[in-house]
Amino acid sequence: MKIIELKRNGDNMKTDIFGMMFFKMSKKHTKRIMGYEATRPFWHFFDLKAYIIMACMMGGGIGFRAAGIFPDIFIAFFYSGLGCALA
């Protein structure tokens, strides 16, 4: 019983931390999107800053993979963990 309670408290704490980190950004994007008066193309969903961040992160990931900086076992665990976290 105690283990289940601890797991639930840990999950709530993770959710709270995630919420605090992204709440401000979420509010900003929601306000901007709801302010659109007409139908917009899908690429207007994010602002320029968000696209620049995505490009840097994707470029960095591709660059690290191409340069062979990290061993394949690290890459396998990293992508597995990332996939589970996003599921």
Side-chain angles (χ1 to χ4, degrees):
M1 185 70 172
K2 294 272 187 195
I3 294 172
I4 293 171
E5 289 175 16
L6 288 174
K7 180 168 179 6
R8 286 186 185 150
N9 289 337
D11 288 346
N12 289 339
M13 186 174 72
K14 285 184 238 174
T15 303
D16 292 343
I17 291 170
F18 180 81
M20 287 186 308
M21 288 186 335
F22 293 103
F23 182 71
K24 183 178 176 184
M25 183 174 55
S26 173
K27 275 183 21 180
K28 182 183 87 167
H29 285 296
T30 302
K31 182 179 177 183
R32 182 176 47 79
I33 292 167
M34 295 300 283
Y36 291 158
E37 293 180 8
T39 304
R40 298 271 183 136
F42 70 90
W43 56 83
H44 285 206
F45 185 71
F46 293 114
D47 57 1
L48 180 61
K49 180 181 172 184
Y51 281 116
I52 291 171
I53 290 170
M54 280 188 269
C56 290
M57 292 182 73
M58 290 171 63
I62 293 167
F64 284 140
R65 290 285 309 272
I69 293 173
F70 298 109
D72 288 342
I73 191 73
F74 173 82
I75 300 295
F77 278 104
F78 177 79
Y79 283 132
S80 298
L82 184 62
C84 289
L86 293 174

